[in-house]
Amino acid sequence: MPEPAGLQLMEDERQAFALAQESLDDLLIDVVGEDGRLLWANERQNRAVGLPADLIAGLPIDALYTPDSADTVAALLRHAADGGHLPACELTLVGRGGRSLRTLAQPRYVTWHGRTALALTKMDFGAVGLKHQELEDDARLLGAIVRNATEAHWAIVFLEPVDTTQPKAEVIRQVFENQSVWRMCNTPMARLYELPDDMDLNSRDVRLQWPRSAANERFVNQIIDANYEIDDALSIDSRHDGTPVYIRNDVRAEIVDGFLRRLWGNCRDVTDQRQSETDSAERLGSLRRVFDAVPDAVIVLDGDGAVVIRNLAFVAAHGSGETMERRLALKVRKAMATGTTPDRGWRSLSTGGGALRLHWRQVPGTGDSLWNVLVVRPLDASAAKAGKMPADGPVRRRRNGAREAAET
């Protein structure tokens, strides 16, 4: 026969009360008076801090709490007269042997023996707290590594994550238009942008230093094509005064469920190198235009036999990458390997189609390199008919001005 409803309700309440009592035994509870001294603490907290109940009453809060937590409790006491709801907060007790005991506390104002007091009901973080502590320690270590690094480090956090499942053009648009902020940019990064010492890069708009441009769209395109993991990718950023700075970046990304949340990397300022390359390209272009104006066939090779310049006359006479070019490259490599200085005069050069004249001279190239300037001319018809030009021999001048070739 079922119990009456009233009896069942009473039994439910009794068991619920028993469960509440058991739960309270797992919590750390104390009551603090308006003067900042402990009025009471439960047995669970007394055991945790290693003090008997008869020594707790009257202790100041900084005897049980770390300085930061004691300041938090003191601030709550100062607003006791205001009453109202109090949010949960983190408080750290000083446990046995000075061990920190991190807790999540729910404070509330109560009346204790007719006086206003602050009751603090706390849950030990336990394993969760240890993991949290480990993460905090790792974060501090990582922050110290980044701050003290000599290489520039940066990170961009997308407050509006970028949907990487969209077409590439849309992904690029979101990278530049979705709200984002700098994170963990270190001092070398600020110096790269030449920011004033009192200016924090992490507080500035990302677009001020990394604007949307055709070059930077290509940079993002490279990142996407490399599956968001790329080294030595070029971006063109802006210094504090607006001048462009060329940067080589090693980039990594965090993508969760198809959404790009973070980009980070380290970088190097290559502006001077880039300018040097531009200057060299301009000088090379000028030299090429000069050589193109020369009627003789001219080719310039570096020490490895690679082509630096071939003028229009050379291409017209011998083609590009054909037998003549390979033959001359082989001569250059052999001379460089043996340390042989080429004759500066005219030499004969035999080919499958007959003999030619070759003039070879080494001149300083870019940096510490040597360039080999080779001029190739057809053999003079009268000399060829007289048989005066043996293959690959240096040209000597007779007293009367006539030219002859001798074997070397």
Side-chain angles (χ1 to χ4, degrees):
M1 186 173 177
E3 295 182 0
L7 292 177
Q8 180 66 42
L9 180 60
M10 290 176 62
E11 178 60 19
D12 290 346
E13 289 179 347
R14 186 189 66 77
Q15 292 195 39
F17 181 77
L19 287 173
Q21 285 295 110
E22 291 177 7
S23 298
L24 286 173
D25 290 341
D26 293 331
L27 299 175
L28 310 174
I29 307 172
D30 58 26
V31 180
V32 184
E34 290 181 297
D35 60 356
R37 292 182 177 275
L38 272 294
L39 299 174
W40 174 85
N42 71 342
E43 183 59 27
R44 174 77 171 82
Q45 178 166 310
N46 291 338
R47 289 197 306 269
V49 299
L51 291 173
D54 58 351
L55 294 181
I56 288 293
L59 287 177
I61 53 177
D62 56 11
L64 268 70
Y65 290 94
T66 60
D68 287 347
S69 294
D71 289 343
T72 300
V73 175
L76 293 171
L77 289 169
R78 285 195 296 271
H79 294 86
D82 300 337
H85 173 73
L86 295 175
C89 59
E90 183 179 332
L91 295 176
T92 303
L93 288 162
V94 180
R96 292 175 179 271
R99 181 178 65 90
S100 294
L101 185 63
R102 299 181 66 178
T103 70
L104 180 64
Q106 178 58 64
R108 72 181 187 279
Y109 298 120
V110 298
T111 300
W112 188 267
H113 295 293
R115 303 288 299 271
T116 300
L118 179 67
L120 299 165
T121 303
K122 301 175 290 294
M123 180 179 66
D124 184 359
F125 274 175
V128 174
L130 292 176
K131 185 62 178 178
H132 189 267
Q133 183 67 51
E134 181 182 332
L135 292 174
E136 281 193 340
D137 290 343
D138 288 348
R140 279 194 294 269
L141 176 60
L142 177 60
I145 292 173
V146 172
R147 283 192 303 274
N148 294 293
T150 57
E151 190 172 42
H153 290 271
W154 58 269
I156 296 174
V157 176
F158 292 93
L159 303 181
E160 298 177 77
V162 174
D163 187 353
T164 63
T165 65
Q166 296 297 310
K168 187 186 295 184
E170 173 61 14
V171 174
I172 293 173
R173 184 196 69 78
Q174 289 187 30
V175 165
F176 287 102
E177 295 187 8
N178 285 15
Q179 188 178 3
S180 59
V181 293
W182 291 113
R183 283 288 186 272
M184 297 188 74
C185 296
N186 61 358
T187 300
M189 192 71 188
R191 288 175 181 158
L192 187 150
Y193 290 140
E194 297 182 352
L195 295 182
D197 292 340
D198 60 349
M199 185 175 290
D200 182 11
L201 176 58
N202 294 293
S203 67
R204 291 174 62 78
D205 186 339
V206 172
R207 299 293 161 257
L208 292 175
Q209 262 62 60
W210 188 52
R212 184 174 186 175
S213 65
N216 287 338
E217 287 185 355
R218 288 194 296 272
F219 170 61
V220 175
N221 189 82
Q222 285 183 295
I223 295 173
I224 297 170
D225 287 346
N227 199 26
Y228 297 89
E229 183 175 330
I230 192 170
D231 293 334
D232 214 33
L234 180 68
S235 68
I236 303 179
D237 297 16
S238 296
R239 298 195 196 275
H240 183 55
D241 62 2
T243 59
V245 52
Y246 291 83
I247 296 179
R248 290 286 181 183
N249 298 268
D250 302 333
V251 184
R252 300 295 182 268
E254 179 189 27
I255 298 175
V256 179
D257 296 330
F259 285 90
L260 173 64
R261 296 181 178 276
R262 295 176 182 85
L263 284 174
W264 70 87
N266 51 54
C267 60
R268 299 157 296 283
D269 182 355
V270 294
T271 305
D272 291 342
Q273 174 188 336
R274 187 81 177 187
Q275 186 59 53
S276 176
E277 292 172 354
T278 300
D279 292 345
S280 295
E282 291 176 351
R283 288 194 297 271
L284 195 60
S286 297
L287 282 173
R288 184 173 289 108
R289 288 190 292 273
V290 169
F291 281 122
D292 281 344
V294 175
D296 288 318
V298 180
I299 188 169
V300 181
L301 305 176
D302 64 14
D304 296 323
V307 176
V308 179
I309 297 172
R310 62 171 76 81
N311 73 347
L312 295 176
F314 186 92
V315 174
H318 307 290
S320 174
E322 299 299 328
T323 303
M324 176 60 68
E325 187 173 304
R326 292 197 298 271
R327 179 184 177 88
L328 295 176
L330 180 63
K331 283 182 173 291
V332 167
R333 287 196 295 271
K334 183 177 179 180
M336 298 298 287
T338 59
T340 305
T341 303
D343 292 326
R344 295 184 178 181
W346 287 94
R347 302 167 58 88
S348 65
L349 179 67
S350 62
T351 68
L356 299 170
R357 290 192 299 164
L358 172 68
H359 191 281
W360 178 357
R361 186 163 186 168
Q362 288 180 331
V363 299
T366 57
D368 298 327
S369 66
L370 282 176
W371 284 356
N372 298 272
V373 182
L374 301 109
V375 183
V376 182
R377 284 182 179 173
L379 181 64
D380 180 83
S382 59
K385 185 176 180 180
K388 301 290 187 179
M389 297 288 288
D392 293 336
V395 176
R396 295 177 181 169
R397 189 178 296 276
R398 292 181 177 178
R399 290 185 211 173
N400 62 2
R403 303 165 70 122
E404 68 177 357
E407 288 285 348
T408 57

